[in-house]
Amino acid sequence: MSRSRIVVGISGGIAAYKSCILIRLLRKAGADVVAVPTPAALEMIGKTTLEALTGNRVHVRTSEAADQVTHVRHAQEADAIVVAPATANTLAKTRWGIADNLLLNTLLAARCPVVMAPAMHTEMWTNPATVENVAVLRSRGIDVLDVGVGQLTGKDAGPGRMLEPEAIAEHVLATVARTRDLQGRHVVVSAGGTREPLDPVRFLGNRSSGRFGVELAREARSRGAEVTLVAANVEASVLERAGGTRLVRVESARDMLEAMEREASGADIVVMCAAVADYRPVERLDVKRKKTGEDLAVRLVENPDILAALARDRRKEGRLVVGFAAETGDETASALEYGIAKARRKGADLLVVNEVGERLGFGDVDTAVAIVADDGTVVREAEGSKSRMARVIFDAIRERM
Ligand code: C5P
């Protein structure tokens, strides 16, 4: 495997001295490191130190070595960028896309994973401006780490310390490993909600937006997999984020069964994230149903269970199958307890249980998941944006492979 290249961005906080240790640790782990300090960082540590530690030239301004378009080259060649320390100023500028130094230009041009390790005084860290900037950056998939609590510059103490270089290095190396850990694998993800036609214009459907499935497809792509997304009624604006995946569009549960059986043969990992209707109308009228003034009863018949079918043959076909269970709790049991019972019953390798409600779990909102193995053990619990949860889910899948 080729050597990974990591850009270490350094902004102007006192914690900048610790980025020297971070560079040492990354190099010790075998990475090729390029340091990109901001002008303010160079008031804290010297360019010579950074060049000696990385063994690479250090540039600060976009105008230096302009013929080499350094920021674009750094961004294109990097397997990951870590900004440590990330000051409140650099976080804010990154959020707004401001690019008045080489590091900010590099961040703006980056397509690789970006990790930011904030360091600032407590007042600045808890300021609503910073809180909002961090939330926006995280929602865009930038991995803004938490801060440590303890001694700050001067006499102050509290939240705002940069995490220790060892913790940052470990995190960045795991991030880089994730960019390749599904290389050569074929992943099939289903997303969205099926529509079961009543007549040419009406259907029985559900609230699934397809966002979670799209985030899963995206995550699998970013880890190097070849991805097929089987999408049931997912809006184009949502599908946009799945760029680079092979797209198969379906409408009903039976369409999806057919597509999944076809696509899953030869796949290494199948994730059934779609909300598949359990029932469909027995009859689909060829013409629009007329109003009669009478009550109307629609007879429903059960749909095939796609997940169960894929899980049944999984060993023989040599694939790992993951299901989803959107659960609600009641007086008898919690959402998780229902999920654990379902994990035992379904026979998928892993079942991702998430609690849903009218405003919970659907659309563009944070979610909480518990990942349950087929023997009912909870292997992971996590909470956050759907893109973060997608990462957690593929971490669990990797562990299981
Ligand atoms: O049993 P329940 O519908 O809650 O299970 C949800 C899981 O089963 C999801 O992974 C969903 O994609 C899958 N499923 C399926 N075929 C159905 C119903 C659900 O594959 N007919």
Side-chain angles (χ1 to χ4, degrees), residues 190 253 256 271-279 302-310 322-327 342 345-346 351-352:
S190 73
M256 181 162 279
V271 185
M272 266 306 290
C273 184
V276 183
D278 289 329
Y279 293 92
E302 221 174 284
N303 270 327
D305 190 320
I306 307 168
L307 178 65
L310 295 170
V322 182
F324 269 69
E327 297 289 344
K342 190 170 284 180
R345 209 166 56 233
K346 286 263 181 180
L351 191 76
V352 181

Side-chain angles (χ1 to χ4, degrees), residues 47-58:
K47 191 167 163 175
T48 318
T49 311
L50 296 173
E51 291 191 335
L53 288 175
T54 60
N56 282 315
R57 287 293 305 277
V58 169

